[in-house]
Amino acid sequence: MDEKTKISPVSSDLQLYRDTMHVDPKINTRASKFPYCIVWTPLPLITWILPFIGHMGIGTTQGIIRDFAGPYYVSEDDMAFGKPTKYWQLDVDSVGYDVWDRAVYEASEIYKGRMHNLCCDNCHSHVAMALNNMRYKGSQSWNMVKLCFLMLWHGKYVNCCGFIKTWLPFFLLAGGIVTVVLALHLT
């Protein structure tokens, strides 16, 4: 095969997306398909204490979720901590379908070679790299802190159970602490 006929992994993957692309894929919460969305799910223990911190992934134009799930591993359609409980659908038209998929693919390939670090280089960083690669909203300043707060503000719960899964442990823990403090002060 000569140089002109070789197909890079990026172009063959993008061709697969083009071949299966619907005109306007819709969010399908039952099937966990979230096209051009940032998705979020609670992290056990951490979200119970700080309910705005959780695990994040990004959907391709076909809704396939990619998330940096651990050291040297980016999962596909199998989020590390369960199905998404929140999503934030972004404007794919601002960058285009091919650019979106290429940016998600490239960020995922880079993160397959990285060590996971809970505080500095994590799932939020993976999503930020994808957004920076595609220059979403004309910006290359996406980062994990910005995404954390934007997801808190713009994220929509998948359903009532998603809301409960996110907030119930926090309220139970907070209620328990308040009860113990009040009980100690009243005795």
Side-chain angles (χ1 to χ4, degrees), residues 20-40:
T20 60
M21 189 174 338
H22 298 90
V23 176
D24 185 21
K26 301 282 186 217
I27 292 172
N28 182 340
T29 58
R30 288 184 187 256
S32 288
K33 296 296 181 196
F34 295 88
Y36 30 94
C37 289
I38 296 173
V39 294
W40 185 94

Side-chain angles (χ1 to χ4, degrees), residues 30 72 114 121 154:
R30 288 184 187 256
Y72 313 107
R114 290 201 177 176
D121 201 12
H154 294 288

